Amino acid sequence: MTTNRFDLKSKTALITGAAGLLGIEHAAALLECDCRVILTDISEDGLQSAQKQLKKEFPSGEIYTYPMDVSDLTSIQTVSYKLKYKDIDVDILINNAAIDPKVKGEQGIVETSRLENFSREQWDMQIAVGLTGAYLCSQVFGTLMAKKGNGGVILNIASDLSVFAPDQRLYRKDYLKEDMQPVKPVTYSVIKAGLVGLTRYLATYWAEQGLRSNALSPGGVFNGQGDEFVQKLSQLIPLGRMANRDEYRAAVQFLCSDASSYMNGQNVVMDGGRSVL
Ligand SMILES: NC(=O)c1ccc[n+]([C@@H]2O[C@H](COP(=O)([O-])OP(=O)(O)OC[C@H]3O[C@@H](n4cnc5c(N)ncnc54)[C@H](O)[C@@H]3O)[C@@H](O)[C@H]2O)c1
């Protein structure tokens, strides 16, 4: 008899930003492996609809929801106390929450995404969620996993922009003046590269306790973006297209299960080949 190294039957995974486009996919990936999932997000309405959507696909899946703000230590600790009260230990943490401001342009008298105009408030808020949030959740849930001494997994959701710079030509609108051209903000690159650093740090810090940390760096997911953008981006990708939202499920299953038992501290880049050009 062969053992199924992807089996997560007796495991519990907590996902941050779980009400978003990819958060729901991560949850579905783990439910496919019979994992119990805890969906957390700052949006309570988002959590309810995510749970409803997942229940349709996994009627017998064990799915809990907890509102949680990853930038607020008290909010994270409150969820951890609530789980303790229910006798639920977290075995897998997926740091997925982020503020991903859509690059639109034409929003005012100055283009606020541009480095010259980017405000300290935007910087602080985006770093607080995307990077500090992953650190705080790792501190709270990673510490508990390490103390339990039963191994565990931290998966940080980075981006292909953790390994290369944004190509700002993608966001260009020819009819706008230079200083009004929208860009992918500086925070995105800083956060995603920072998550890879956090991943490496945690990978050695808790290695003796059998707690593994890895990062997954997805390329852009098709979600109804405009034709011009999709065409321009697809030309930069050897596979010639953006990702479908469910194409990261198998990687999440691999990285969160014993199938990846000897992988630690790595950044798995799934970008249709864009980063090797
Ligand atoms: N969608 C893509 O094309 C893509 C590509 C590469 C990487 N990523 C990364 O994948 C992750 C998920 O992306 P997505 O496309 O699902 O984004 P999304 O915007 O759909 O979801 C993000 C979720 O995070 C939640 N959130 C925001 N602030 C929060 C806070 N303070 N505390 C808790 N939750 C908070 C939001 O409510 C939202 O549900 C992000 O880290 C993103 O950078 C996405």
Side-chain angles (χ1 to χ4, degrees):
M1 198 181 89
T2 53
T3 45
N4 178 3
R5 294 176 71 84
F6 288 89
D7 184 25
L8 292 170
K9 203 170 276 149
S10 54
K11 304 291 183 192
T12 301
L14 185 145
I15 303 163
T16 71
L21 177 75
L22 283 183
I24 295 177
E25 291 300 324
H26 306 328
L30 298 173
L31 285 161
E32 280 176 4
C33 297
D34 292 327
C35 192
R36 168 161 64 181
V37 296
I38 317 247
L39 312 178
T40 69
D41 200 288
I42 199 166
S43 162
E44 290 193 37
D45 290 349
L47 280 175
Q48 297 322 312
S49 74
Q51 187 179 38
K52 216 164 139 195
Q53 191 178 322
L54 286 162
K55 271 282 176 197
K56 266 193 210 149
E57 193 177 345
F58 304 95
S60 57
E62 233 185 306
I63 306 167
Y64 297 89
T65 60
Y66 290 93
M68 184 174 94
D69 177 353
V70 295
S71 66
D72 176 3
L73 182 59
T74 308
S75 171
I76 301 166
Q77 282 169 333
T78 303
V79 172
S80 100
Y81 297 144
K82 285 183 181 166
L83 292 175
K84 192 175 173 211
Y85 185 71
K86 283 197 156 202
D87 221 8
I88 295 176
D89 291 326
V90 171
D91 306 288
I92 298 161
L93 166 67
I94 303 189
N95 286 316
N96 168 75
I99 296 177
D100 185 8
K102 301 298 168 232
V103 182
K104 290 197 204 100
E106 306 164 74
Q107 290 174 104
I109 47 166
V110 290
E111 177 43 49
T112 55
S113 61
R114 296 193 68 81
L115 188 67
E116 298 85 346
N117 307 327
F118 201 68
S119 71
R120 174 70 191 262
E121 287 72 29
Q122 281 179 285
W123 170 276
D124 286 344
M125 185 181 59
Q126 290 169 22
I127 300 273
V129 176
L131 189 53
T132 312
Y135 145 69
L136 291 175
C137 290
S138 302
Q139 185 179 52
V140 171
F141 295 108
T143 301
L144 290 172
M145 284 191 254
K147 262 196 196 145
K148 198 177 159 204
N150 204 19
V153 169
I154 295 176
L155 178 59
N156 293 317
I157 305 301
S159 158
D160 53 3
L161 293 180
S162 69
V163 292
F164 53 75
D167 186 336
Q168 305 293 12
R169 292 170 301 184
L170 285 171
Y171 311 105
R172 235 192 122 70
K173 294 182 190 282
D174 286 338
Y175 55 88
L176 291 175
K177 289 192 303 178
E178 269 328 292
D179 62 353
M180 289 300 281
Q181 288 293 340
V183 294
K184 193 79 171 170
V186 60
T187 36
Y188 203 81
S189 291
V190 171
I191 289 166
K192 296 311 184 184
L195 282 175
V196 175
L198 177 69
T199 302
R200 293 197 185 112
Y201 186 93
L202 298 176
T204 60
Y205 192 80
W206 280 318
E208 270 183 41
Q209 287 75 21
L211 177 46
R212 298 184 294 112
S213 298
N214 288 294
L216 175 63
S217 280
V221 177
F222 178 69
N223 189 29
Q225 296 92 338
D227 287 348
E228 193 190 338
F229 174 81
V230 174
Q231 263 177 27
K232 278 202 249 176
L233 178 53
S234 300
Q235 278 167 9
L236 300 176
I237 301 170
L239 288 183
R241 62 174 178 85
M242 296 180 75
N244 299 318
R245 63 181 66 191
D246 63 356
E247 285 187 294
Y248 301 111
R249 283 193 190 188
V252 168
Q253 291 167 345
F254 172 68
L255 291 166
C256 291
S257 68
D258 281 350
S260 62
S261 55
Y262 199 55
M263 183 174 266
N264 192 25
Q266 296 303 312
N267 181 18
V268 175
V269 182
M270 286 181 79
D271 62 355
R274 187 174 166 198
S275 56
V276 300
L277 275 180

